[in-house]
Amino acid sequence: MKNIAILASGSGSNAENIARYFADNKNINVSVILSNNPRAGVHARANTLGIPSFTFTREEFVEATPILKKLAEYHIDLIVLAGFMNKISEPLLKAFPGKIINIHPALLPKHGGKGMYGMHVHEAVVAAKEKESGITIHYINENYDEGATIFQATCPVEPTDTPEEVANKVHALEYLHFPKVIEKLLTL
């Protein structure tokens, strides 16, 4: 059995989508959800799905020892960031080399880096008059959005699209592709 830990800071729609995708899988399990936000909607979703969830402070994520203990407790093979708003600390990177992935709501290297998350990304895509956007699933390294790309999928951006319309197109790609890419990584 391969075990996934999901790190999320917000509503948890991607976390729920991933958990539901693997709910009946005999080889892959979403074992635990960790968050830096005690009020994050992901906790309610985790509770509904029967997945344990825990909140840690920013300092605990930076120092990493309590996080590493929790990850060891659940025998984690892969850490999946799904709307997680903290930078991953060096101790976590060292403990899970090549085992931490993220999804970014644009086609990296465009529209990535510090401060480029959520609607900020879609607003930048529209402002730049991009003809397409999409998702990038990538490994995490010490810099924001600079880890090696695992997978990209695109969607058209029409000249009349609002940032909200681009966001909807990108979310559809996230829900379709993220679980499948995770599954492929864990069955290699």
Side-chain angles (χ1 to χ4, degrees), residues 3 9 26 39 48 50 59 68-69 80 83 87 103 108 113 116 131 136 143 148 150-151 162-163 165 170:
N3 294 303
S9 298
K26 304 289 185 231
R39 295 178 305 282
T48 299
E59 293 74 24
L68 290 171
K69 284 182 182 175
V80 175
K87 191 171 184 181
I103 189 164
L108 293 174
M116 292 304 286
K131 294 192 183 329
T136 303
N143 299 311
I150 301 165
F151 176 86
T162 65
E165 290 168 324
V170 169

Side-chain angles (χ1 to χ4, degrees), residues 15 18 20 23 41 49 54 56 58 60 68 84 94 111 113 118 121 141 168:
I18 293 164
R20 289 194 184 284
L49 294 164
F54 303 92
F56 292 93
R58 182 174 182 75
E60 288 170 322
L68 290 171
F84 186 64
K94 284 185 176 180
H111 310 294
V121 175
N141 67 14
N168 289 335

Side-chain angles (χ1 to χ4, degrees), residues 1-2 16-30 49 51 183:
M1 175 70 71
K2 299 287 187 174
E16 180 176 354
N17 183 56
I18 293 164
R20 289 194 184 284
Y21 182 87
F22 290 113
D24 297 321
N25 192 303
K26 304 289 185 231
N27 301 311
I28 300 171
N29 181 48
V30 175
L49 294 164
I51 300 170
E183 184 174 36

Side-chain angles (χ1 to χ4, degrees), residues 11 24-25 107 133 152 159 183:
S11 74
D24 297 321
N25 192 303
L107 299 172
S133 190
Q152 287 186 315
E183 184 174 36

